[in-house]
Structures are given as structure tokens and as C-alpha cells.
Amino acid sequence: MPTRAAPRSPLPGLGLSLGTTLLFVTLIVLLPLAGLAWQLAQLSLADYLRVMGDRRVLAALRVTITAAAAATLVNGLGGLLLAWVIARYRFAGRQVLDALVDLPFALPTSVAGIALVALYAEDGWIGSLLAPFGMAPAYTWYGIVIAMAFTSLPFAVRAIQPLIEELDPAQEQAARTLGASDTQIFAQVILPNLMPGILTGTGLSFVRSLGEFGALIFIAGNLPFKTEITSLLIMIRLDEFDYPAAAAIAGTLLGLSLILLVAINVLQTRLYRRFERGS
């Protein structure tokens, strides 16, 4: 009996595909990281601790991390709600709303920063309403949170939306038949299935916020010890030709981001395995 030939792959063979992939990753990812690592190697441990122990650096890290955490919390809640509305409801303008979610990806971050200042400065459309109460967000920590939330929102929405679309309505109907309330259905049926997406979306949102630059420098105010962010401080150190110090700060942010991404992948894998065992 003749054997059936294996279907041909539309891509080149393993050797060529793997070689091209490795070349691409090397040029785009590994070489820049190698340059950063080389700059870090110029620092001794004592020099690294001196750079990172500077009061200005610590203040910039505090501002950046706390603002990124707040923006991630906003995107975690708002992204879940927005993804739910887009995936579960049909209404006029739904496709427009769906497209607007990706606008921060397409919009240059500097343009986003200018637009946010026009909205939230004391003479802006929204800021002018809040200014009499001393609450205009521009040039404050709150303005940084708004800019971070704007630029990282698509990560939260797009990580959760596919999981909502894949939910089995029969599970919700079965839970309602058994007498479960809407709150119980959401907490015990829906939310566990969405946790991998929520975890991934909020994690990516946080990492994206840590490295944001263009949108923040316009709305942050850039006051040392108050609204100065780490990405701006890195640029300042580069302008001063203090490359090792800039590398130390950038390497710290990179290390924090890598640790978070690895933790997200591990937790996500465990959650999927738990769901597979439960099913």
C-alpha cells in the first residue's frame, strides 16, 4: 500500500528557516542587549551600587514604578470592562471602538504626549475644569499615570478579549440553572478562565509603562525628585556622556522587566495546566 507523502511546508526547510530566525533575533535583540551588557561590564559592583544608590535615581525609580503600577491597575480594570463590551455586545460604533483600542500602537508617543497636555494642562479642555480645585493632572504624578495608561491599554484589552470570545455560554447557563447569582457566575466561572489573559495583559502593560518615554516627557514636568522618570534620566546621563551610569539604570529596568516576563510565563503555564486538569 503506497504511503501518503507528507504535506509540503509553505516555508523553507528547517535549516534555512532556523538560520534566518537566529540572524533576525541576533541583529534586532541580542546585539543591542550585548551592547548594554558591555556598558554594564565597565562598572564594578561598587560603582553600580553608587549609581543606583543616588537619591535622584532612587526618586526617579520610585516615580516610574509607582506610576506604572497605578496605570496597570487602571488598565486591568478598564481593559477587562472594555474587552467585555467589545466581545459580548453588538451596538452601533462597536467596530470603531474596537479599532480605537489599537490607536496608541499607531500614534507616535510624542504626539500622544502633546495631545494629553492639550487635554489635561490647566488651560486644556479637561484640565481647565479641574484647575480651580488644584487637580489639573498635567506636570504631576497623576499625569504620568494617565500617559502610561493610554500607551499601554491595548496590551490589557487584546490579551483578554480573545478569552472572552472563547468562553462557553453553556457553562454560564448551567451555573445560572443551579441557582448561582451573576456575581457568583463571574467570580467562579468567568474570572478563572480569564485570569491567564488578565495576568498577561497587566504584566505587559506594566513592562510597557516602565520603558515609556515619548508620551511622558511632555506631561510629566520632569522635575527631579518629583516627576522625573527613569527613561528621561537615562537620556540625561547619555547627554552627559556618562554611558556606564546610563547603562546601569537601563540594565536595572531591563532586569526588572525580564524577571516580570518570566514570572508571567511561569504563572500562565501553571494556570493553563490547572484548567486542563480541571476540565
Side-chain angles (χ1 to χ4, degrees):
M1 183 176 181
T3 60
R4 179 179 298 179
R8 292 186 58 186
S9 172
L11 295 177
L14 174 62
L16 181 58
S17 299
L18 181 60
T20 304
T21 301
L22 292 178
L23 177 62
F24 177 81
V25 172
T26 300
L27 294 177
I28 302 300
V29 179
L30 295 183
L31 280 182
L33 292 180
L36 177 60
W38 183 83
Q39 289 292 342
L40 279 173
Q42 309 304 308
L43 288 172
S44 65
L45 179 59
D47 292 334
Y48 174 81
L49 294 177
R50 176 183 55 80
V51 171
M52 299 309 301
D54 181 74
R55 290 180 57 248
R56 185 174 178 181
V57 174
L58 292 176
L61 285 172
R62 175 184 56 79
V63 170
T64 303
I65 293 175
T66 56
T72 300
L73 178 62
V74 171
N75 282 343
L77 299 175
L80 174 60
L81 179 60
L82 184 54
W84 184 271
V85 170
I86 293 175
R88 281 299 182 94
Y89 298 103
R90 298 295 181 267
F91 53 90
R94 173 182 172 273
Q95 293 182 343
V96 175
L97 179 62
D98 193 18
L100 287 175
V101 170
D102 294 324
L103 182 62
F105 282 156
L107 191 67
T109 55
S110 57
V111 176
I114 295 173
L116 291 173
V117 170
L119 286 174
Y120 293 104
E122 290 188 357
D123 57 348
W125 295 351
I126 299 176
S128 60
L129 301 177
L130 301 175
F133 307 98
M135 298 172 58
Y139 315 124
T140 68
W141 179 85
Y142 299 100
I144 298 175
V145 174
I146 292 173
M148 286 182 173
F150 174 81
T151 56
S152 60
L153 176 63
F155 290 102
V157 176
R158 295 313 185 197
I160 302 172
Q161 183 179 346
L163 297 182
I164 297 177
E165 294 173 347
E166 293 176 1
L167 287 175
D168 186 2
Q171 295 181 356
E172 302 173 40
Q173 296 173 2
R176 185 169 284 107
T177 301
L178 294 174
S181 64
D182 291 339
T183 302
Q184 290 174 323
I185 293 174
F186 179 79
Q188 300 179 19
V189 178
I190 297 176
L191 189 59
N193 290 284
L194 300 184
M195 280 305 299
I198 294 174
L199 181 64
T200 300
T202 54
L204 293 176
S205 177
F206 182 79
V207 172
R208 176 69 176 84
S209 297
L210 286 179
E212 178 55 40
F213 176 75
L216 299 186
I217 58 173
F218 292 97
I219 198 172
N222 309 320
L223 297 177
F225 304 102
K226 293 184 179 180
T227 59
E228 187 177 53
I229 56 175
T230 50
S231 53
L232 175 62
L233 188 56
I234 292 171
M235 189 186 74
I236 292 174
R237 293 292 180 259
L238 291 174
D239 290 340
E240 297 171 347
F241 300 100
D242 192 354
Y243 298 122
I249 303 171
T252 301
L253 286 182
L254 176 62
L256 178 61
S257 299
L258 288 177
I259 291 173
L260 183 60
L261 290 175
V262 170
I264 290 173
N265 288 332
V266 172
L267 290 175
Q268 189 180 49
T269 301
R270 291 183 178 179
L271 284 174
Y272 277 125
R273 288 177 179 175
R274 181 181 301 177
F275 291 152
E276 290 176 357
R277 288 195 301 265
S279 60

